[in-house]
Each structure stands twice: as structure tokens, then as C-alpha cells.
Amino acid sequence: MTTLLPPALRTARELVEPTLRSAVARLDADTRRVGEYHFGWIGVDGAPTDAGGKALRPAMVLAATETACGTAEHGVPAAAAVELVHNFSLLHDDVMDGDTSRRHRPTAWTVFGSSAAILAGDALLAVAPEVLLESDVPNAAVAVRSLLTTTRVLIAGQTADLGFERRQDVDLTECLGMAHDKTAALLACACSIGPLSAGAPRESVRALHAYGTELGMAFQLVDDLLGLWGDPEVTGKPVLSDLRTRKKSVPVVHALTSGTAAGERLWELYEQPEQLTEAQLCEAAEMVRRAGSEDWTRGECRRRLELAEAQLEVGSLGDTAALGELAEFIVRRKL
Amino acid sequence: MTTLLPPALRTARELVEPTLRSAVARLDADTRRVGEYHFGWIGVDGAPTDAGGKALRPAMVLAATETACGTAEHGVPAAAAVELVHNFSLLHDDVMDGDTSRRHRPTAWTVFGSSAAILAGDALLAVAPEVLLESDVPNAAVAVRSLLTTTRVLIAGQTADLGFERRQDVDLTECLGMAHDKTAALLACACSIGPLSAGAPRESVRALHAYGTELGMAFQLVDDLLGLWGDPEVTGKPVLSDLRTRKKSVPVVHALTSGTAAGERLWELYEQPEQLTEAQLCEAAEMVRRAGSEDWTRGECRRRLELAEAQLEVGSLGDTAALGELAEFIVRRKL
């Protein structure tokens, strides 16, 4: 059950967490408590815990900064800012999606109420650019603009995701666009904002941004496969969870729009007003497979990874071993 | 019923609205629609309307910039940014407070749903610093830091306000602190951020910040009096609305903590589990009066205005006529 974590993840937590903690410590006492609970630093009772996330995005920021600038430390303010924006979006998405569990713990809104979770998300979004603007990185303002543009893309992605729930006519292109907006855009920002803030050459920043976009797409495709066939003990969600909630993830939309008999049958199941039985859930999963959508998604994931790697050739970058380890971890996790 | 609007308000709308509109136009189509509806630029059906707010804060930004720098135009990006942050907080507060009407129109969440309103608020908060950072004002980054620090204070104020609803022991100092955080902090920012962004002398910025703080307190105290005795046709709320919802506004908390017989009676009414009858509402309002809290609030409002005016003497500022007109408008409105 244990997954071997790349050393870059532990190093990133050690380097970035002090900045993150001091950013959250600036919030008013009540909002701070919600933020600290959400980050896994305290329990419901306020006592310290160690339930923090993997700090994947901060690790990407540091690895990319090291690759482009020779040292990871210059990426610390950007890493903290990206992690704050990521957690702003988690806090708000959990409220909107009604999700009750995250990282194997009750979500913040279930503990403190929706309003407190909304306010905590707002506060993380407000404090994120502050961290960058107060630091001594040479291009803080440019980096903040990149972070905020990305935040608007995240918002567009969540808006599309909520819209898809009500729509019958979502096609694969829109679905991939939503995956880009919800996931790949922030990975692209994570892979480029450290070098951008530290004044790395423009072509390196551009290559790392493109790398992050492709890697982010692969990341989301793996996530979509985990939402169907992931191990509940690892994902913290029931088996076939995305089918239970009739989520329009990439493999599902691929199957629904495949024009195959399996796709037709999946439509029937998705349109059924009653909850799907366990037998129907298994049937739905089998239809996704038969429509060729599991294979297609795996193939697309591999293709995106190759596109990502190709970017590292063109950016006149230094050693990309740490970045590669993180990429490997992202796509191999929990499947 | 018509209130004479100071010319500075119309001028501010004309100067700032193009920047505001182009900022909102950057959001994804769905989120943009919610934002444009909220700003009063379009109706529920998407057709253009002219139901915009008074643009009081942009007008304060421009008047303060003119006073400190000799020209209002330099304050335009800051004015747009402040208005975006103000409207972020309105969108989110309306969701949290369950308010169904604003500026005589249905609130955004009642039309588009809570999630869409939360996302639109998020997007306005994200785009606000972008407007400043993209502009050519000399001190954009410093101004953004001031705006974001203020945003955290706004969040603290809303957190306190929500907490007060559940608490029996709110004292006057806390209540005035909440009024500062929810209202005065953003007015202080509005009065100082334009000059700050344009590079005005530090003592002018400091004086204008203090001016805005005191004016903002006066503004909130007037608002609290309007919540009790304001004309429903003007406020858009039922008569004695704050008593209906048992809001712990400044005059109410002053009365509750006055140690008078009238204060005791007001407690009994506020603790009554059933809705207050019209007769009880009138009695509650009379208790606020008898406890001396209406007079005290009016006196405190005057005192704050005098403190504000005194600040304008110390800041080596230019002509303060436009600022003064706006201040006059704020405290004379609708009472």
C-alpha cells in the first residue's frame, strides 16, 4: 500500500512549508484555523497533526527552478504561492461539489461550515500574491500576473465542470479543454513560475510551461482512470466512484461519444433516474472498456508524457532528473 | 426620493467603467455573465441594462488621487481594482448571508446559483491585482500589496460578523472592530491606494488612509442607523430590517451592553425564539432609542467625521473639495 515518495517531495515540503505556514498565520484567528485544518497541520480540536498533502506542486516549482536557474531556493516564494492558490481552489471546489472527504479527512466545510470554508479559500487566494510580492525575487510582479491568469483559467475549468453535470452534449474536445483548465493550467504554472520569477531565459520558461501543460494533461487522465478503477484504500473514494456520481470524465465522455453499442448502453445507464446498482456500475465500467476508452485514455496519457519530455529537449535546461522523477511519480501513482 | 449625486460620482463611473468592463470581459463566458449581471450591466436575460452601483469607492480613489497628485487619471487602475475587490466581497457575502436582493435587484446567487456566484467572486478577486500590475502606474506592486492586505481584513470582518450571529457576548469594542474590518478598511484603502500607486509622498498617503478609516467608520454608523430607521423605498429593505434579522449592529450592541432597563428589554426581545411581531419590532427600536444608543451612534458618527477632516489638514494635500463632497454625500444619504 505504501507508495515510494520521490525525495524531491520531502525536500519541497521542508523548504516551502515555513513560508506557507507564515502566510496562513497572517489570517485572522478563525480563518487561520480553517486554513490550518485544511492543510492538515491541525485537527478539528486545534491540536497539531501531520496530515499534510504531498506538496506535489511546490516540488514541481522547485525542481523546475533548479533545472532552469541552477538552484531550487529561488523558487520558494513561487512554490508557496502556487500551493496557496491550489488550496484556495480545493476549499471552494469541495463546497461546490459537496465533497465530504479529502486526503482521508472530513473536508473543511463539513467541519467549520460552508461560509468559513469560502472565507478561508478567499484568504488563501488573497495571500498568495502577497507572498511573491514581498519576496526578493527579481520578477515578482510578472510571476503574480501569471499566477492570477492561471487562477482565472482554474475558475473557468470549475465553471465548465459544473456546467457539464447539467449538459447532455459534452464532446471530447470540451472535456479535454476542461481537464486542461482544471488541472493542466496550474501544473504549467507550477513548472514555469519559479524560473519566471527568478528571471530565467524566456525560452526556458516557455518550454517548462509547455512541459507542465502536457504533464498536467497526463496527470488528469491518470486521475480519471483512478476515478474508475483506482483502489479505494488509496484514492479514499469508493470503487467506480466517478460512475456513481455520473461524472463526465475524459474516458467516460470518450465512451459516450464513441458511436459504439457500448457507448449507447453507457448513455442509457447515465440517463437512468435511479441510482446505479453495483451490478450496473460494473456494467458501466465494462462499457467504458468495450468502447475502447480505457485504452484510448492510456494511450493519450502516454502521448502527453512523450510531448512533455520532448519539451525538455528544447529549453536549454540543466539537469532534469528531479522533474522526471516527479513526472514518473505522478503517472505511476496508485494505478 | 431622488438623491442629488455629487458630480464626482458620475465622473468616476465614466473614467473607471471602461477599465472595469474590460477586466470582467476577460473572464470565461459563464463567469463573465454572472459578473456583468452583478455589476448591473446586463439583465437576467443577458440584455444590456443600466442598473450599476454608485461607484462610490472608485470616486473616492479618484478624488484622493487628484488631491494628492493633482490629477485623477493616475488613479484609474487602482479605482477599478478596489471596485473589483468590493464586488468580490458583495458576491460572496450575499451567498453567506443568504441575502436575496441588492441594489433593488435579485442577488446573483439567486439567479445563477451559489456556485456560479462564488466563482464569479473568486474571478473578480483574481483579476483585481492584474488590472493594477498591467497598468503603467509607478508603484503597482506596492499598491497590490495594500489591496490584498485590505482584502484579508475584509475577510476577517465578514468572519467576525458571521460569528457575532451565534454569540451572546459581543461587546461594543468588538462590534466597532468588525465595522472597521468590514467597511472602514476598504474605504481607507480607497482613499490611499491611488496616491500610493502613483507615487505620492508618504505623509499624504498616510493622512488619506487615516481619513478613509474615520470616514469609513462614519459610513458604517450611518448604515447601521439606516438598518434601523432607513426609508424602505431608499434602502430597498423592510423598515427596521436589522432588528428583524437580529443583527448585532453598533447601535444595537451599544443598547444591549448599556446596562439600562431598555437594554435589558432589548435582550429579552433578541432572545425570543419566535419571530418578532411588528409591535415588538417597534418596541425594540424604541429600546435602542431609550438606551441612548441612537444619540450615541449619531454623536460617534459626527466625531469620526471631525477626525477625518482633521487628517486632511496634516497631509500637505491639494484641493480637497471633491473628497469633501463625497464624504458629505456618504453621511447625508437616505437618512
Side-chain angles (χ1 to χ4, degrees):
Chain A
M1 216 75 293
T2 341
T3 320
L4 264 183
L5 294 184
L9 285 176
R10 212 195 48 230
T11 316
R13 270 188 74 165
E14 283 165 8
L15 276 174
V16 178
E17 205 171 286
T19 307
L20 262 185
R21 282 188 184 255
S22 88
V24 176
R26 280 185 225 178
L27 314 187
D28 66 272
D30 288 339
T31 308
R32 174 181 177 174
R33 200 155 58 100
V34 182
E36 291 182 341
Y37 171 82
H38 169 79
F39 271 107
W41 301 333
I42 62 171
V44 176
D45 56 358
T49 55
D50 187 23
K54 287 185 297 296
L56 175 66
R57 287 159 196 80
M60 299 295 308
V61 176
L62 297 190
T65 310
E66 186 158 24
T67 298
C69 310
T71 163
E73 276 76 4
H74 293 147
V76 169
V82 166
E83 190 68 352
L84 288 163
V85 165
H86 175 55
N87 283 281
F88 136 76
S89 78
L90 296 181
L91 276 161
H92 282 196
D93 288 1
D94 284 343
V95 171
M96 294 178 221
D97 301 340
D99 284 339
T100 55
S101 156
R102 170 168 300 284
R103 297 173 195 144
H104 305 275
R105 301 164 81 222
T107 45
W109 72 269
T110 66
V111 177
F112 301 98
S114 298
S115 296
I118 294 169
L119 288 163
D122 292 344
L124 298 188
L125 177 55
V127 86
E130 283 188 88
V131 169
L132 261 166
L133 292 171
E134 287 162 13
S135 72
D136 55 3
V137 297
N139 290 330
V142 176
V144 166
R145 286 173 61 182
S146 163
L147 184 65
L148 294 173
T149 306
T150 304
T151 304
R152 286 195 281 109
V153 177
L154 282 182
I155 291 166
Q158 172 69 0
T159 301
D161 199 6
L162 294 173
F164 285 6
E165 285 174 20
R166 294 186 299 271
R167 282 178 48 198
Q168 304 291 317
D169 60 343
V170 179
D171 67 30
L172 190 60
T173 307
E174 286 179 293
C175 192
L176 289 166
M178 192 265 280
H180 169 270
D181 291 356
K182 277 202 77 162
T183 305
L186 192 59
L187 258 284
C189 181
C191 289
S192 57
I193 190 171
L196 180 66
S197 70
R202 186 177 290 213
E203 68 161 342
S204 303
V205 172
R206 202 180 290 137
L208 286 164
H209 192 276
Y211 172 79
T213 301
E214 300 301 345
L215 184 63
M217 290 303 295
F219 182 58
Q220 184 56 52
L221 295 172
V222 170
D223 223 54
D224 284 355
L225 292 169
L226 286 168
L228 294 170
W229 294 288
D231 178 343
E233 277 214 45
V234 181
T235 63
K237 292 177 182 173
V239 79
L240 304 175
S241 67
D242 281 359
L243 294 173
R244 278 174 213 275
T245 58
R246 299 181 207 190
K247 205 174 150 181
K248 299 207 176 74
S249 67
V250 172
V252 167
V253 170
H254 184 273
L256 289 172
T257 58
S258 62
T260 61
E264 286 300 309
R265 176 63 189 140
L266 187 62
W267 257 127
E268 286 171 27
L269 291 166
Y270 257 53
E271 283 183 336
Q272 163 184 315
E274 306 86 47
Q275 257 201 324
L276 297 172
T277 63
E278 296 300 309
Q280 287 175 321
L281 286 168
C282 292
E283 190 193 351
E286 182 54 28
M287 294 304 113
V288 176
R289 265 203 195 99
R290 271 203 223 159
S293 306
E294 186 191 2
D295 287 346
W296 182 86
T297 306
R298 287 187 191 276
E300 180 66 8
C301 187
R302 270 193 304 276
R303 190 179 74 85
R304 295 289 191 163
L305 283 175
E306 283 158 19
L307 285 172
E309 271 161 38
Q311 288 297 333
L312 297 184
E313 309 297 315
V314 301
S316 65
L317 300 163
D319 182 6
T320 59
L323 262 189
E325 261 176 45
L326 289 169
E328 180 77 13
F329 170 73
I330 281 177
V331 292
R332 296 281 166 264
R333 80 205 146 107
K334 308 175 279 181
L335 256 186
Chain B
M1 218 74 293
T2 343
T3 319
L4 265 182
L5 294 185
L9 286 176
R10 212 195 47 229
T11 316
R13 271 188 74 164
E14 283 166 9
L15 276 174
V16 179
E17 205 171 286
T19 308
L20 263 185
R21 282 187 184 257
S22 87
V24 176
R26 282 186 225 177
L27 314 186
D28 65 273
D30 288 340
T31 308
R32 173 182 179 175
R33 200 155 58 100
V34 182
E36 292 184 340
Y37 171 82
H38 169 79
F39 271 107
W41 301 333
I42 61 170
V44 176
D45 56 359
T49 55
D50 187 22
K54 287 185 297 295
L56 176 65
R57 287 160 194 80
M60 300 294 310
V61 176
L62 297 191
T65 309
E66 185 157 24
T67 298
C69 311
T71 163
E73 276 76 4
H74 294 147
V76 169
V82 166
E83 190 70 350
L84 289 164
V85 166
H86 175 55
N87 283 280
F88 136 75
S89 79
L90 296 181
L91 277 161
H92 282 196
D93 288 0
D94 284 343
V95 171
M96 295 179 220
D97 301 340
D99 284 338
T100 54
S101 156
R102 169 167 303 281
R103 297 174 195 145
H104 306 274
R105 301 164 82 222
T107 46
W109 73 268
T110 66
V111 177
F112 302 97
S114 298
S115 296
I118 294 170
L119 288 163
D122 292 344
L124 297 189
L125 177 55
V127 86
E130 283 188 88
V131 170
L132 261 167
L133 292 171
E134 287 163 13
S135 71
D136 55 3
V137 297
N139 291 329
V142 176
V144 166
R145 286 173 61 182
S146 163
L147 184 65
L148 295 173
T149 306
T150 304
T151 304
R152 285 195 282 108
V153 177
L154 282 183
I155 291 166
Q158 172 69 358
T159 301
D161 199 8
L162 294 173
F164 285 5
E165 285 174 19
R166 295 186 299 268
R167 282 179 47 197
Q168 303 291 317
D169 60 343
V170 179
D171 67 29
L172 190 60
T173 308
E174 286 178 291
C175 192
L176 289 166
M178 191 266 281
H180 169 271
D181 291 355
K182 277 202 77 161
T183 306
L186 191 59
L187 258 283
C189 181
C191 289
S192 57
I193 191 173
L196 180 68
S197 70
R202 185 177 291 214
E203 68 161 342
S204 302
V205 172
R206 200 179 292 137
L208 285 164
H209 192 276
Y211 171 80
T213 302
E214 300 301 345
L215 184 63
M217 289 303 294
F219 181 59
Q220 184 55 52
L221 295 172
V222 170
D223 223 54
D224 284 354
L225 291 169
L226 287 168
L228 294 170
W229 294 289
D231 178 344
E233 278 215 45
V234 181
T235 63
K237 293 177 183 173
V239 79
L240 304 175
S241 66
D242 280 359
L243 294 174
R244 278 175 213 274
T245 57
R246 298 181 209 190
K247 202 171 152 185
K248 298 210 178 74
S249 68
V250 172
V252 167
V253 169
H254 183 273
L256 290 173
T257 59
S258 62
T260 61
E264 287 300 309
R265 176 63 189 140
L266 187 63
W267 257 128
E268 286 171 27
L269 291 165
Y270 258 52
E271 283 183 336
Q272 164 184 315
E274 307 85 46
Q275 256 202 324
L276 297 172
T277 64
E278 296 300 309
Q280 286 175 324
L281 286 169
C282 292
E283 190 193 350
E286 181 55 28
M287 294 304 113
V288 176
R289 265 202 196 101
R290 270 203 223 161
S293 306
E294 186 190 2
D295 286 345
W296 182 86
T297 305
R298 285 187 192 278
E300 181 65 9
C301 187
R302 271 192 302 277
R303 191 179 74 84
R304 297 289 191 161
L305 283 176
E306 282 159 20
L307 286 172
E309 271 160 38
Q311 288 297 334
L312 297 184
E313 308 296 316
V314 301
S316 65
L317 300 165
D319 182 6
T320 59
L323 262 188
E325 260 175 46
L326 289 169
E328 180 78 12
F329 169 72
I330 281 178
V331 292
R332 296 279 168 266
R333 81 205 145 108
K334 308 176 277 180
L335 254 187

